[in-house]
Amino acid sequence: MGDVYLAWTGLRLVAVKILHPHYASDATFVAMFLAEARVAGKINHSAIAQVLDVGVDAGRLYMAMEYVAGHTLDDLIADSSLPGQMLFPLRLGTTVFANVAQALAAAHRAQIVHRDISPHNILISDTGALKLIDFGIARTQNTDSRTSPGTFRGRFGYMAPEYVQGHECDHRVDLFALGVVMWETFTRRRLYGGAAAAQLYAVIERPAERLDAVLPDFPPRLADVVARLLERDPNARYQHATEVADELEGLLPELPDGGFRNLAHWVDSNLSKRVEARARADHADMQAAAEEDSIGAESFEPIVEVTAGGSVRVAPPTASSPSASRWGLALGLGGLVLGLAALVIWILGRVPAAGSPPPAPAPAPEFAAAAVPAPAPIPPEIEAPPPTAPEVAPEAPPEVPEEPELAIEDPEVKDTRRAPASEDSAPKRPRSTKKDSTSRRSERISSVTQPLKPATEPTVAAPTIAKPAVVPVTIPSIAPPPPPPPTPAPAPVPRTPRVPASMLGDEAQGGKVVGQCNACHAEKQKRRIDGKHMTRKQWERFFRNGTHDRYLSLGGRLSLSDLAAAKAFLSARALDASQDQSAGVR
């Protein structure tokens, strides 16, 4: 009839059921939805999930209910990872169904008939509490006990024979369904399986086997209680749920406990990892919702004022009290003023005063000078004092047409910066007078870098800097590195076997295979395989096309027969399977 969401109220987590939009226009489903809220709201029992609110939002009907973090009894029965032939030890299982019988007794006292007692609607919480849920098709005793002809509401395998045959029925139909659930919980298999017609026929015509004939060493007295609940004649059954609860509680002392003190101890021993994972997930969701609510959330603290006369006045909660607003405004302005003052001080510290000299450049670090080696000192040129009477070379004969360049040679001082000119390379000069030749010689003498030194002074030879020899350097050729070895291609993952449509599998074996799949999914933090809400046609396509490999590689870990068995198990519990229809089939 609807979707169920986990929701946050600001104080705790709740479950919110929202009616499907295509049902909202059907008066029958709307009446059933509202009747569930009214019916469940009338019953106050610890083993029945409470309805907290019901209403309409944006044209959609919703119902807020108590959130029960746990597992349905149907999930636990089908989970092959849980040890033991029976789901619970005898004493613990008997205690569970005694609590269910007490919850039914509370509903029957309120004139409410559940009409959908099944393992799907019995929850085992993570704290070891038991909760009965889903009163969607419940009715009151003062309404017509017969449904419209050809219409069944509930799951076929749990309907009482008088209800299937269209006879008048009452609260004892819940007791028959309780007997079916007890039989399936102790044996961990379906009592009335198969297609819809086969289930209805078996309910009417085939008597259920006794538990002490199916399970070895099963207590006969407990088998008698279950057999009496499964009587076809409603007058042969227990007439009230309180009788069932009293009978079961009287059997507890003689039943073995299997080493478990109570249901909470059993949950902690067998489901601890799942409980911890769910608790972490719920805590994370609650923290995220609380953080979203805290953004712009209004204050829920009321304003309490005591007057002079001693009376107390409680003002309704507002977004924020006036005093809190004033304090917040004052703190905000104070922070703004402090920030502006800090900005002004920083700006003034950056601007230099008028007339102040510019800051001296920072000295270069010592290591900078040490890093570059200083050039070798070049000896300064030694200049001779000006001669009193310059020495003049004898004048060349006038008949010589070319005048050689003046060359000054000293045995101890040799000017290496200028080579003497040869006669072949000397330029041609015209004949000149004695006065002109004398002045030219004087200019040449003064232009010499190393003049002659007096004979009394020591001679200093200019250092000769030899040019470094150029040594040819041969750069060896480096061979390129060898290419990396080719990476071997990953081994191909074996293809998941495809189950043909004509292949039929063992449904009982399929439950064990699905249990193995669920254990693998829990390890890889994937959704449970039997938690997928798909039709039988979708399950058929799932196993025929290898859809599994698209989101989790399966490979060759399961054989073809295992997959066929899993397909049979999941198809029997598909959305359009007869035993999983809670809204009724016309």
Side-chain angles (χ1 to χ4, degrees):
M1 293 174 62
D3 294 322
V4 181
Y5 295 89
L6 185 64
W8 168 252
T9 67
L11 296 175
R12 60 173 175 171
L13 294 171
V14 297
V16 176
K17 178 188 285 188
I18 300 179
L19 187 66
H20 286 313
H22 56 274
Y23 289 147
S25 58
D26 192 327
T28 302
F29 285 100
V30 172
M32 291 170 59
F33 190 87
L34 297 177
E36 178 180 1
R38 289 193 297 267
V39 167
K42 291 181 179 179
I43 310 171
N44 185 14
H45 193 273
S46 60
I48 295 178
Q50 299 298 304
V51 174
L52 307 176
D53 189 20
V54 65
V56 181
D57 181 63
R60 300 192 66 181
L61 283 168
Y62 73 89
M63 183 191 312
M65 300 174 292
E66 174 187 1
Y67 170 54
V68 182
H71 302 78
T72 65
L73 191 58
D74 180 68
D75 290 338
L76 298 179
I77 292 174
D79 192 347
S80 61
S81 62
L82 298 176
Q85 185 178 7
M86 293 184 294
L87 180 61
F88 301 117
L90 289 173
R91 183 185 296 181
L92 185 57
T94 303
T95 303
V96 168
F97 292 113
N99 293 335
V100 176
Q102 292 173 357
L104 286 176
H108 296 165
R109 282 194 297 269
Q111 303 298 308
I112 304 298
V113 182
H114 192 284
R115 295 202 300 174
D116 197 15
I117 300 297
S118 67
H120 304 76
N121 292 331
I122 298 176
L123 293 180
I124 306 297
S125 75
D126 293 342
T127 58
L130 183 139
K131 293 288 182 178
L132 184 62
I133 62 170
D134 200 355
F135 284 79
I137 62 172
R139 66 167 181 81
T140 57
Q141 292 280 23
N142 55 5
T143 58
D144 187 8
S145 61
R146 287 171 294 185
T147 317
S148 302
T151 300
F152 299 97
R153 290 178 179 173
R155 291 175 171 84
F156 293 151
Y158 305 92
M159 295 178 180
E162 65 271 21
Y163 179 67
V164 174
Q165 293 173 320
H167 298 161
E168 184 177 352
C169 56
D170 54 17
H171 62 279
R172 289 174 292 184
V173 298
D174 289 344
L175 301 182
F176 179 86
L178 177 61
V180 178
V181 174
M182 292 180 67
W183 196 96
E184 293 181 351
T185 303
F186 285 121
T187 61
R188 300 188 72 174
R189 61 185 178 90
R190 291 296 303 275
L191 176 56
Y192 302 114
Q199 293 182 55
L200 297 178
Y201 177 82
V203 166
I204 298 172
E205 299 294 338
R206 191 184 67 179
E209 296 182 85
R210 286 178 58 89
L211 282 175
D212 52 357
V214 177
L215 300 175
D217 301 328
F218 194 85
R221 290 186 59 188
L222 183 56
D224 292 339
V225 174
V226 177
R228 187 176 175 184
L229 287 171
L230 294 175
E231 288 287 348
R232 289 188 179 82
D233 184 4
N235 295 322
R237 296 180 207 139
Y238 291 98
Q239 299 302 300
H240 300 285
T242 53
E243 299 177 22
V244 182
D246 294 342
E247 190 78 19
L248 293 176
E249 290 175 354
L251 294 175
L252 294 178
E254 61 186 65
L255 298 177
D257 57 6
F260 296 102
R261 300 184 300 272
N262 47 37
L263 187 57
H265 187 199
W266 183 89
V267 170
D268 185 63
S269 300
N270 294 279
L271 308 174
S272 59
K273 293 184 178 179
R274 306 181 197 180
V275 171
E276 293 174 1
R278 192 202 313 276
R280 287 194 299 268
D282 287 351
H283 180 73
D285 292 340
M286 190 165 52
Q287 289 292 107
E291 290 175 1
E292 292 179 3
D293 287 348
S294 63
I295 302 175
E298 296 184 353
S299 173
F300 290 92
E301 295 294 334
I303 302 173
V304 181
E305 296 181 358
V306 181
T307 62
S311 61
V312 179
R313 186 181 72 85
V314 180
T318 58
S320 60
S321 61
S323 60
S325 300
R326 289 194 294 268
W327 275 107
L329 181 60
L331 291 176
L333 291 176
L336 181 60
V337 171
L338 291 177
L340 291 175
L343 180 61
V344 171
I345 293 173
W346 180 78
I347 293 176
L348 292 178
R350 298 278 295 182
V351 178
S356 59
E366 297 179 359
F367 61 85
V372 181
I378 299 175
E381 297 178 353
I382 303 176
E383 297 182 359
T388 55
E391 298 180 3
V392 179
E395 185 177 357
E399 62 273 7
V400 179
E402 294 180 0
E403 191 175 43
E405 186 99 15
L406 178 64
I408 302 174
E409 294 183 1
D410 192 284
E412 298 181 359
V413 179
K414 184 178 182 180
D415 187 3
T416 61
R417 285 173 291 181
R418 185 171 181 179
S422 61
E423 294 182 358
D424 296 337
S425 61
K428 303 292 183 176
R429 296 184 182 275
R431 184 181 299 273
S432 59
T433 61
K434 181 178 180 181
K435 181 179 181 180
D436 293 338
S437 61
T438 304
S439 61
R440 285 197 299 270
R441 292 190 188 99
S442 300
E443 290 176 359
R444 292 192 187 100
I445 294 173
S446 61
S447 64
V448 178
T449 306
Q450 295 287 348
L452 294 176
K453 302 298 186 297
T456 58
E457 295 182 2
T459 59
V460 178
T464 301
I465 302 174
K467 294 183 179 180
V470 178
V471 180
V473 178
T474 303
I475 301 177
S477 60
I478 301 175
T487 304
V493 179
R495 182 186 179 191
T496 302
R498 269 50 169 173
V499 182
S502 59
M503 185 174 183
L504 301 178
D506 184 3
E507 181 179 343
Q509 178 66 20
K512 298 180 181 180
V513 176
V514 172
Q516 298 174 5
C517 294
N518 287 333
C520 176
H521 280 226
E523 180 182 353
K524 298 182 179 298
Q525 298 181 351
K526 299 289 184 180
R527 183 179 177 184
R528 290 173 58 89
I529 187 67
D530 56 2
K532 288 181 169 295
H533 302 297
M534 295 176 12
T535 63
R536 281 178 290 189
K537 187 175 181 180
Q538 290 173 326
W539 281 122
E540 178 70 32
R541 185 165 58 250
F542 179 89
F543 285 95
R544 186 176 65 251
N545 299 339
T547 311
H548 192 286
D549 286 342
R550 297 180 186 175
Y551 66 95
L552 189 63
S553 178
L554 180 62
R557 285 182 286 179
L558 291 178
S559 63
L560 183 61
S561 60
D562 290 338
L563 292 175
K567 184 189 76 171
F569 176 83
L570 295 170
S571 298
R573 289 157 177 77
L575 281 180
D576 54 352
S578 55
Q579 64 267 25
D580 197 33
Q581 294 186 3
S582 59
V585 177
R586 202 176 281 279

